[in-house]
Amino acid sequence: MTPRTFANSLRGFIEVAACAISASAAVESGKQPDARALRRLGIDPERFRQIRRS
């Protein structure tokens, strides 16, 4: 791997991890996660809103 490719891969990993942490924190506090974070995680925001919490 070239340094540029490694840096891009690392940046992508960190971005996905940050989105997962952000979405998890929002759900834990009873809020709707940011749509952009959900899309980055591969989750359709509209479908996520349809999930019923008990």
Side-chain angles (χ1 to χ4, degrees), residues 31-53:
K31 298 178 182 175
Q32 177 70 31
D34 183 53
R36 183 178 40 199
L38 290 174
R39 279 193 297 279
R40 181 68 173 114
L41 295 170
I43 301 169
D44 180 19
E46 290 302 317
R47 298 284 295 171
F48 186 86
R49 286 185 188 97
Q50 295 173 355
I51 297 173
R52 295 182 187 245
R53 291 163 183 78

Side-chain angles (χ1 to χ4, degrees), residues 1-32:
M1 250 187 201
T2 64
R4 172 174 264 171
T5 302
F6 177 75
N8 287 340
S9 297
L10 182 59
R11 186 177 304 116
F13 173 78
I14 291 171
E15 182 181 330
V16 169
C19 288
I21 292 168
S22 171
S24 174
V27 170
E28 280 290 318
S29 65
K31 298 178 182 175
Q32 177 70 31

